[in-house]
Amino acid sequence: MALITGASAGIGAALARVHAAEGWDLILTARREAPLKALAAELSRLGAATTVLTEDLADPAAPYRLFDEIQARELSVDGLVNNAGFSRTAGFLNTDPEIHAAMIRVMLTAPIELARLFAPAMVARGYGRILNVASLAGQMPATGGDTLYGPIKGFLIKASQGLHLELRGTGVHVTALCPGYTLTEFHDVNGTRDEVSSAYPAWMWQTADHVARVGYAACEANRPKVTPGAMNNILAGLAKHLPDRLALKMVGGHAKRLKRN
Ligand SMILES: NC(=O)c1ccc[n+]([C@@H]2O[C@H](COP(=O)([O-])OP(=O)(O)OC[C@H]3O[C@@H](n4cnc5c(N)ncnc54)[C@H](OP(=O)(O)O)[C@@H]3O)[C@@H](O)[C@H]2O)c1
């Protein structure tokens, strides 16, 4: 059974569909109950047993509540998809400290705590899958405006790679999935839909279904990191090899296009 966070929309819902198609039963979590229940009904019709547990992962107790509830229901988690996430682009000083704390909790602390809670049983059973949805942003130079987003995703990539190495040979696969621009609710939630749609042509956008399929296959193949899309891989390669001065210039252009800073 796979636990998927942020399953009420976008990449998380797409990952739930891919898992169900591959025969997994699912535990779906996010804050909004209605889209989770609608997805659960859809996946049940495909034959997947689905459980919905609503949680706000910005609450420090949420990962532990999820774990306790799953134990109480005697469900066995051998797949963990840490996908929930969001960004804010108004700039560091214009963003409430509580929002910064929530970003760190939802996209960094919660994934690590959930992995720490569920991985021991996976190792004991000799089978498990941990797929952490990071971002191309985690491989790019620092950006202004959404100042913490890239570093949080960079941390998640490195932590996933470290855990991947540690669990090699145990039957537990660990992969960081690093999507570039993906058509989901993400840019509606952070209020940048119009900016990003006019700044970036249609060919730079991928569907959530494609990203989910690439992520699932990479985790099955036990690749430590996967970045869907040739252009995204070129950008990540450039960022790795450019000196900082040039890399920051490259990203400065991106910030200007998005009218940040
Ligand atoms: N879209 C992109 O261009 C893109 C690119 C790179 C990486 N990503 C990453 O992909 C992941 C999925 O994003 P998406 O594009 O699918 O965005 P999305 O459509 O906005 O979905 C985000 C999901 O995260 C959940 N979520 C947000 N805050 C939460 C909280 N406090 N507690 C629990 N769940 C929470 C949302 O559910 P509720 O609102 O119901 O809680 C929703 O299910 C994120 O980690 C994002 O950083 C996205």
Side-chain angles (χ1 to χ4, degrees), residues 6-12 30-32 55-58 83-86 106-107 133-136 149 153 179-182 184-187 189 205:
S8 60
I11 295 169
R31 289 167 301 180
R32 287 170 293 167
E55 272 296 353
D56 182 349
L57 289 176
N83 161 78
F86 67 98
V106 172
M107 292 186 283
V133 183
S135 173
L136 175 63
Y149 183 76
K153 294 301 194 178
Y181 284 109
T182 309
T184 65
E185 293 179 4
F186 186 86
H187 296 95
V189 173
W205 291 83

Side-chain angles (χ1 to χ4, degrees), residues 42-105:
E42 175 195 327
L43 300 181
S44 300
R45 285 194 291 275
L46 299 176
T50 37
T51 303
V52 167
L53 298 174
T54 52
E55 272 296 353
D56 182 349
L57 289 176
D59 177 347
Y64 300 93
R65 260 197 312 266
L66 273 175
F67 181 75
D68 289 347
E69 185 61 29
I70 287 166
Q71 302 305 302
R73 293 180 188 220
E74 297 184 355
L75 300 173
S76 165
V77 168
D78 35 29
L80 169 64
V81 179
N82 283 309
N83 161 78
F86 67 98
S87 79
R88 288 290 181 271
T89 61
F92 187 74
L93 298 183
N94 297 322
T95 304
D96 286 345
E98 294 75 28
I99 301 281
H100 284 151
M103 290 178 74
I104 292 166
R105 285 224 60 85

Side-chain angles (χ1 to χ4, degrees), residues 141-203:
T143 50
D146 49 359
T147 316
L148 295 188
Y149 183 76
I152 287 169
K153 294 301 194 178
F155 183 110
L156 188 60
I157 293 169
K158 278 270 162 69
S160 305
Q161 290 174 318
L163 191 57
H164 167 92
L165 291 175
E166 236 181 271
L167 297 186
R168 239 180 356 197
T170 64
V172 182
H173 297 183
V174 184
T175 299
L177 169 60
C178 303
Y181 284 109
T182 309
L183 293 160
T184 65
E185 293 179 4
F186 186 86
H187 296 95
D188 304 309
V189 173
N190 73 13
T192 62
R193 172 66 57 208
D194 290 346
E195 290 171 31
V196 290
S197 297
S198 59
Y200 296 106
W203 59 263

Side-chain angles (χ1 to χ4, degrees), residues 26-39:
L26 296 162
I27 303 166
L28 308 175
T29 186
R31 289 167 301 180
R32 287 170 293 167
E33 190 171 38
L36 289 179
K37 283 198 160 161
L39 180 61

